[in-house]
């Protein structure tokens, strides 16, 4: 039976353009650059429309990797999926997480049993502008999630613990192109198209994984927030017109020394969910270690948002009315503080904008642990 | 034996000028306005120099209380100690905590045994401008802490769990007054005088409680951060030239249904310390309740700051270099997220600026629980 | 013939709660508190939803004036119209402008000829929630403008140079009240209801002054920005359900030593319009004085906004995409810099949010000068 | 006689990584990439310590230019001086200004007479960390200014109108290196070392141009702000240990169709100075054109700062106490608004941090005009 091994490398960065940590691991042989499948990063911008640290980081990584993978800088993104989440508010620490995948022969990993971390990638066809934020995007995303599960050799939706999606947004050019063909885009605003695209993509995950049983239609997007996926994490960007889907889960086909689990935060102070996510991969709180030292935390991935109803467990929050700090920055800082405290490390991936990703005001939280011995 | 009963009322506010919650409790008879000793609040400003929500809140409270206590608005502060901490970043929820104290006869509280929450207040003499941030302020504060302990009927420093201090700052007028007498103020900057005054006041607490054994002198202030108090929480304001000291602890003379405990966060993600503070008053994490439902959380009081060395457990944070959000706002958001998550409520008192209040990057955290039955 | 004299006093403030300047002028006899008709102020908050400096300033002014006008604090607003505009970005300096009006006998002011500054106030009936942002608000505002013109003894619309309006906004309670009666409010969002109310009020001014010839209907509000008033300045607040209208213009019935004029900025860098406004009251640029020293600037009143199309004279601006500073703060800082430079003083009234107040990206600018001798 | 021609190209950018405008001009032949001497830009970051748009812009420009000038990206900076100023607050529009220089034969420009725009570049030796912010940096900078004047063929200091300098800053490594050799750096803080380095560099310009007659010593830096240069514009960066000096002035040796002039703003609202700068190159205010249409504005270069004494012409400003927006952002927005209004264009270069560059609260303002015919 064909087996794959997935590697996960969390690398601290000194700035959005810093690639020295990655290059060191490549030069030392710890990372084979040709095995890199995806890089998820936290960059120290504001996470908003004018956050250029994300594209700067991707640009620097592409320029750094180009000599190793025989592709010009502008084509590196065809090979590797980059997802940069801006905003390291509070204690959050800028870093990247590099995912690699290689084929292995069975005998290489005799001591590891059970399902292990697996990663799969797929993408949708290009969308028409008028399809964004609507059923077409939901359905195509669902198909791509299924394809990425197959790529990861995961059959059971229960084994899927985090689905990271990059999705398009609308620009005025794209809106006009639709209008020119007699079609109406879901919104004329670039900013709110990001929420529509994130929301429809998350609903696509929920459909693929059977988290929603009923039919999902256009009018549910950004309206019925009771419909959500417990493992979706979506972010929109201007540079593409299709969805890129990264599925992370556990598979019997994986010989990886890593394991992944998840829970769902029902609100921004849901410490129980974070503890559950840590426990699901055998870790206890406070220091990211396990009682018997056989496991250690590799990273946590979570989504955060200010609860739309303006309160948390009955007490008013002020995130949505603050003219000086955007609500997404507030939410990342608070949830980042909680998760860092429970994980015992501040280099965690907490991303903002959680439409249909977990319940309103909450969001998914996944943990990856490394099994050092058994 | 004379006994006192201390009441603690956490009241949500709808804005810095909102006094309706307090007035309701007064009108209903739950709070006797003449028994109010101190009000600690979180207001929704930026917590910086230009945060006017603090003085607005005090102004509104004075105007509201004046008909009940037979003092004109500008003299209410002579009777009641107000400490408003600006900044409800992240999930933090604006609220005030009202402390009352009344004499009781022993027979009124037969079922409560052991030491219970007690509160004491004292103040120093007025300082000369050149004394701020220096030994005179340290020593006078230490004396006032001792006096406030006596007022609270607390003899053992181990029974003191939170010491809130309001202290002066330097203005250019005050600096010039000192210069005119041939004296030098510790700094010419109003902003940095706040840190000096907070730091010297915290060291005064440490001296009073025996937390520092060696002699403390001028050159330790804002330099030797290994010297600190584990229970001090200090904030400076322009409206006074002396220190006001509020001691919270447990005393056998108290017939209060409340108990207080504390721990020290060694860094901004020290979840263990927060859990310890909760446990010290019989509470478990996540929902602020106790296994047997006999205790419930009233409030948590903590100080937060961005670690001066730029990292948390080896990972870089970006709070000190952010030109758009001040480090104190970042720190409150993150620590507020952690404490709210562990406490199960976001109406907690997390204040910024923790010089000599806990170790660098950390701070004290105190919890008050109500014993509902025994 | 009955004549009135209008006084205009620009008073610097040391903070939003500072009333000492006003009280000094009252104590010295320069201002008769019973003659105060309106106070327009710039306070140093962020000008957004969570700017509490506005209500704090009004609260402090009411408390200060109450002993002089025999009304309790909460009823002072029935007598005096307060309009506080938050946000003193850049060089803008916090201050209030106090308008007084008294009856005079003709012989008191023989040396002044021509039309002089006059002020008139009126108010609409209370609106139903569903009327806000729609034709009812436009039409009732137009009627109130006519009434305020009559109160100011101004017949010719050409003599009206600035119309300041305070208007209501929608809260969720108000929206529900409408829904309960089977009516639909124009929007469910409190924030965007502010823009609707400001916009409809400004269109009401345009209708009253004949600036718009065609019929104005619901669908023009916040849609057809080619319809605008050149003298309207509107701001919405939660504390009222009707519009308060303050008309400033020149009238032959006024024996005031002040004169007012205006121009319209077609974009945020329209220096020509500011110069024209200054010239209209006999002033030259740079120092707010006149060649023959017979006139001096009292204050300038202007509205500013980031141009909705994202550019100024063909060059892109970044105000609308900045996640860290809101567009209204950017716009006040820039327009405030320009006006202060041309006026030679930074204590000017520049307010944000200019829907239907001047052309898109521009706004009205009015100047008041004092004639010191002739 | 050898003559040079200087070209000046102002190019709007769509983002910090946008090089398409420059590449178009290169491809069309309008700019010979080998003639590029310096690029000054405004990028849309916050202009503070964590503004990464500056290094991203330089990185993108280097990558774009490398194929045209036969140097690898990391060596392009050896050939071309890049100065990126972060912060396009208010109306300011992101753009770059490209300066080129080529040798010409006299006969090529018969119609132009008088002194024309000339540019010269020079650099100091590397500084030791302990030399920054002190006399060594002042003196070496003065020498480099003289060298750059010679390079620009300018003999008379009166012909120098703008001197842009890039200077180093201190890092903890550099401070420690000095300490290791028994030397003391001027400050331990990276942030304040930037001000020291900018200030000493500006004083070096003043010395070179005879703007200061007395001896300048260490204790004048950041203390005696009466000492300043009227044409210096300095900015510090981490990437170098020497000063790069760009002199812009007029020279009889130049056959350029451009002319430069300057004035000094004595405060942030000094419209007279801006008008004088425009007039010095034959332009009138409001539209950047000349009465006879023979000249048009190419760009304006200015420095801005919040006046350290907290007021502008007697009225308090709030820039220094704002915890939410840094004073440099406020200052750029306000001064940018004024200059844009007077220049008639918002794509102007207004930079913050003006220690010893113009008087306290003010700064130099230079204008370059193109002579279209004569």
């Amino acid at each position: 039976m064909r087996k794959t091994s997935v590697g996960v490398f969390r690398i601290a960065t000194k700035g959005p353009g810093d690639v020295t940590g990655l290059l060191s691991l490549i030069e030392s042989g710890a990372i084979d650059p040709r095995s890199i499948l995806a890089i998820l990063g936290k960059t120290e911008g504001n996470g908003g429309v004018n956050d250029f640290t994300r594209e700067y980081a991707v640009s620097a990584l592409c320029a750094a990797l180009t000599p190793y993978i025989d592709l010009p800088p502008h084509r590196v993104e065809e090979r590797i999926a980059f997802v940069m989440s801006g905003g390291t508010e509070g204690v959050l620490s800028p870093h990247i997480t590099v995912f690699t995948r290689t084929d292995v022969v069975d005998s290489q990993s005799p001591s590891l049993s059970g399902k292990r971390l697996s990663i799969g990638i797929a993408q949708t066809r290009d969308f028409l502008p008028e399809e964004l934020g609507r059923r077409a995007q939901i359905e195509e995303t669902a198909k791509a999630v299924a394809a990425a599960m197959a790529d990861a050799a995961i059959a059971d939706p229960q084994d899927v613990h985090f689905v990271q999606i990059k999705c398009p947004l609308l620009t005025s050019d794209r809106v006009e192109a639709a209008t020119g063909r007699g079609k109406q885009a879901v919104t004329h605003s670039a900013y709110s198209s990001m929420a529509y695209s994130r929301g429809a993509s998350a609903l696509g995950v929920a459909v693929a994984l059977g988290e929603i049983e009923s039919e999902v239609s256009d009018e549910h997007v950004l309206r019925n927030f009771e419909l959500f996926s417990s493992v979706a994490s979506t972010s929109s960007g201007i540079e593409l017109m299709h969805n890129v889907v990264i599925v992370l889960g556990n598979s019997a086909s994986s010989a990886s020394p890593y394991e992944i689990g998840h829970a769902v935060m029902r609100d921004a102070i849901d410490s129980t969910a974070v503890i559950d996510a840590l426990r699901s991969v055998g870790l206890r709180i406070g220091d990211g270690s396990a009682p018997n030292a056989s496991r250690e935390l590799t990273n946590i991935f979570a989504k955060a948002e200010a609860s739309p109803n303006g309160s948390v467990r009955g007490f008013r929050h002020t995130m949505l009315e603050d003219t000086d700090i955007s609500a997404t920055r507030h939410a990342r800082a608070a949830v980042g503080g909680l998760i860092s405290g429970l994980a015992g490390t501040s280099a965690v991936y907490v991303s903002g904008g959680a439409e249909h990703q977990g319940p309103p005001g909450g969001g998914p939280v996944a943990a990856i642990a490394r099994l050092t011995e058994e």
Side-chain angles (χ1 to χ4, degrees), chain A residues 40 120 141 144-145 148-149 160-166 201-202 204-206 208-209 211 229-235 244-249 260 303 357 364 366:
Chain A
L40 269 67
T141 301
V145 171
M149 284 175 65
V160 174
H161 294 286
F162 202 68
V163 181
Q164 178 66 49
I165 289 181
K166 240 179 124 175
S201 299
V205 177
L209 300 181
E211 299 178 277
S229 167
S230 296
V231 295
S233 167
T234 66
S235 60
V244 177
V245 175
I246 306 171
V247 160
L248 292 169
I260 187 169
K303 291 292 278 191
Q357 300 148 66

Side-chain angles (χ1 to χ4, degrees), chain A residues 249-266:
Chain A
N250 296 318
S251 165
S253 297
S254 170
S256 166
Y258 299 91
E259 196 181 344
I260 187 169
H262 86 280
V264 183
M265 296 178 73
R266 66 192 160 93

Side-chain angles (χ1 to χ4, degrees), chain A residues 90-176:
Chain A
V91 294
L92 291 172
S93 187
H95 72 280
I96 56 173
T97 305
V98 177
F99 292 90
T100 61
R101 187 174 69 181
T102 48
D103 287 339
V104 292
V105 291
D106 243 353
S107 57
Q108 281 180 306
S109 53
S111 68
L112 295 166
S113 62
K115 290 177 179 174
R116 297 282 175 252
L117 179 66
S118 186
I119 182 169
I121 294 191
Q123 51 188 59
T124 67
R125 64 167 169 80
D126 274 10
F127 294 112
L128 293 168
E130 63 268 28
E131 292 179 327
L132 290 186
R134 290 187 171 135
R135 210 167 70 173
Q137 192 179 18
I138 298 172
E139 289 172 353
E140 293 299 317
T141 301
K143 282 187 216 165
V145 171
M149 284 175 65
D151 185 45
I154 298 175
D156 185 350
Q158 299 293 324
D159 285 329
V160 174
H161 294 286
F162 202 68
V163 181
Q164 178 66 49
I165 289 181
K166 240 179 124 175
C167 53
L169 53 82
L170 289 172
T171 61
S172 28
D173 288 354
R174 292 168 184 174
V175 170
E176 276 166 35

Side-chain angles (χ1 to χ4, degrees), chain A residues 173-199:
Chain A
D173 288 354
R174 292 168 184 174
V175 170
E176 276 166 35
T179 311
R181 291 193 317 276
K183 306 291 184 180
Q184 275 292 105
V186 69
T187 173
H188 284 220
S189 147
Y191 185 78
S192 71
S193 79
M194 297 170 77
Y196 272 104
S197 184
R198 283 194 301 257

Side-chain angles (χ1 to χ4, degrees), chain A residues 298-333:
Chain A
T298 303
N299 209 344
I300 286 198
F301 300 86
K303 291 292 278 191
E305 72 175 4
S307 67
N309 71 358
S311 69
V312 177
R313 299 194 194 174
F315 283 102
R316 180 171 70 99
H317 67 73
T318 61
M319 299 188 260
L320 294 172
E321 289 114 44
D322 192 339
T323 297
D324 291 308
I325 300 181
S326 79
T328 52
R329 304 201 74 177
H330 275 293
R332 276 190 300 265

Side-chain angles (χ1 to χ4, degrees), chain A residues 1 16 24 34 70 93 99 113 125 142 191 208 220 229 258 263 267-268 279 285 293 298 315 342 354 366 374:
Chain A
M1 175 188 167
S24 295
R34 294 177 167 277
D70 291 336
S93 187
F99 292 90
S113 62
R125 64 167 169 80
Y191 185 78
H220 293 126
S229 167
Y258 299 91
D267 58 30
R279 284 188 181 147
I285 73 164
T298 303
F315 283 102
L342 294 173
E374 284 223 347

